[in-house]
Structures are given as structure tokens and as C-alpha cells.
Amino acid sequence: MSDQSIEARRKSAGPGLISRAFGVCATLLLPVAGMIGVLALSYGGRDRYVTTFDMFPPEQWYLNPGYWLNYGHLVLPGVFLVLCLTNRRYGPGVTMSAVLVSWLIVTGLFIWATATYGLQAVQGELATLPVMATFAGALFAGQILCVYLFDRLRGIPWWRAPFYAILWGGVLYAGLFYVQLLMQSDAPVANRTAVILAIHVGWAFLGLFIYQLFRRLIRPLPGYGGA
């Protein structure tokens, strides 16, 4: 093969690679923005406490969730809904890529904040390193399970995949993160665990309703029919 033909192939392949790279970035843009957006909303609601469900008298204040339950807890399970909508459209490969890219961005932001403000300031704003590592590991495990279940269950009836993916992804995350933390504290474990699990069960139904609203707007690509 002549040098001219090789050079011609390189020139023709170059724009194709670049266009595919831009295509991948464009595909991941909305899913990654959605997941990071949910994390940002959850972070923003960490100081706003939910006192609606406080029913016990003042002498039993520790049984009321209002002194620890914040809006961040209520918002965070929305990340599993974003995964289901992404999986519906693009399948598990792109969805897992979006998960990895979002965590790379979060890690980069953490490194930047640590280098800019110092580790102690970041821990004071967020949590200790062990707690942050436990949170990241638990949420990542829940995301993997959510993607896997949706891909395995998608089909007829359409509601099975999003419902069980959101439910069990959230339950795994809550079990790995909250139960471990509660076992190391003096807080009433059964009470807090019940509240957290109720939130994720509620999100399975709420997420199913929102998912149904988006079904006509977000159509699956060829080969990903069903859910």
C-alpha cells in the first residue's frame, strides 16, 4: 500500500473519530447533568430540616425525624430515576458511562475544593473522609444495581423495570450507608432506618409516575424496546 493511500485514510478517519467523540459527549451531557444536578440539590437541602412528620412529644424528641431528616434525604433518590430514563433511551452501556463520568466530575470538584480551601474546610462543609467514602461507595453500588435491574427487567409490563430498579437501587444504597452509620451512633436505629426505607419505597412509586410522564418524550433507540 502506498504512502499516499495511507495518508488519505488517516485524513478520512480523523474527522470520523472527532465527530464520534463529540457525539459521545453530547449523548452523555444530559444524563451526567441530571445526576450531578440531583446531587447538587441534595447538597443544597442538607440544612433544611423536614418537621412535617414529627408526632412524638418533646420528651421523646429523639423519635421525631425533624432534627436529622432534611430535604437532601428526600431529593437524593431522584438519581435512580435519572438512571432509568437514561437506560430507557440509550441502554446500560451509555448509562454506566454517565455514572462513571459523573463520579469523575464529582471527584475532580472534591480535589479542586481540597486544594483551594483545605481538607479540614471541605470536611467541615461535607463530612469526614470515611463518611464521604462510605457514601460514595454505597451510592455507586446502588447505581450499578439500578442499571442492572432495569436492563434485565425492561419489557412488558413496562412498569417493572423502573419500579424495581429505583426501589432496590435505593434500598441497597440506604442499607450500605445509613445502617452502617446508625450502628456506630447512639441514635434510634430502627426509627431512622424505617424512615429512610420509607423514603426510598415512596420514591419507587413517585419515580414510576414521573417515568410514565416521560415515556412519550424519551423514546428508546432501536433494540431497546419495551420499558
Side-chain angles (χ1 to χ4, degrees):
M1 183 179 294
S2 65
D3 294 339
Q4 291 181 348
S5 61
I6 294 175
E7 185 65 22
R9 289 194 174 190
R10 287 178 179 176
K11 289 182 179 180
S12 62
L17 291 174
I18 295 175
S19 63
R20 284 196 294 270
F22 275 111
V24 171
C25 292
T27 299
L28 295 177
L29 182 61
L30 282 178
V32 171
M35 280 184 277
I36 293 181
V38 172
L39 292 175
L41 287 174
S42 178
Y43 173 77
R46 73 195 187 283
D47 293 328
R48 298 182 60 189
Y49 293 93
V50 182
T51 59
T52 306
F53 309 106
D54 291 354
M55 299 177 294
F56 293 93
E59 57 271 17
Q60 294 179 309
W61 62 269
Y62 53 88
L63 295 177
N64 290 318
Y67 76 97
W68 63 270
L69 181 65
N70 56 56
Y71 283 92
H73 294 108
L74 302 182
V75 171
L76 186 62
V79 73
F80 300 109
L81 173 62
V82 175
L83 291 177
C84 290
L85 292 172
T86 305
N87 211 342
R88 168 177 167 79
R89 173 64 178 172
Y90 298 110
V94 171
T95 307
M96 278 307 306
S97 298
V99 170
L100 294 175
V101 170
S102 64
W103 279 112
L104 287 175
I105 293 175
V106 170
T107 302
L109 290 174
F110 173 77
I111 294 174
W112 170 81
T114 301
T116 304
Y117 302 105
L119 180 59
Q120 289 186 346
V122 173
Q123 289 188 117
E125 187 69 18
L126 295 174
T128 63
L129 278 178
V131 172
M132 284 189 282
T134 303
F135 168 80
L139 185 56
F140 184 65
Q143 289 173 316
I144 292 177
L145 181 61
C146 178
V147 174
Y148 172 78
L149 287 177
F150 187 97
D151 185 57
R152 290 299 301 269
L153 297 174
R154 68 184 304 164
I156 300 174
W158 66 267
W159 58 266
R160 287 194 310 170
F163 180 80
Y164 288 115
I166 295 172
L167 174 64
W168 292 114
V171 168
L172 178 62
Y173 155 71
L176 293 176
F177 181 55
Y178 289 105
V179 173
Q180 178 180 344
L181 292 181
L182 293 176
M183 294 299 293
Q184 299 173 358
S185 69
D186 297 329
V189 177
N191 184 45
R192 287 201 182 188
T193 303
V195 172
I196 290 297
L197 291 179
I199 291 173
H200 287 278
V201 172
W203 253 102
F205 289 96
L206 175 62
L208 189 64
F209 173 75
I210 299 174
Y211 183 91
Q212 166 68 353
L213 295 179
F214 278 92
R215 285 187 72 214
R216 293 185 179 180
L217 180 63
I218 301 177
R219 296 287 187 178
L221 294 178
Y224 292 117

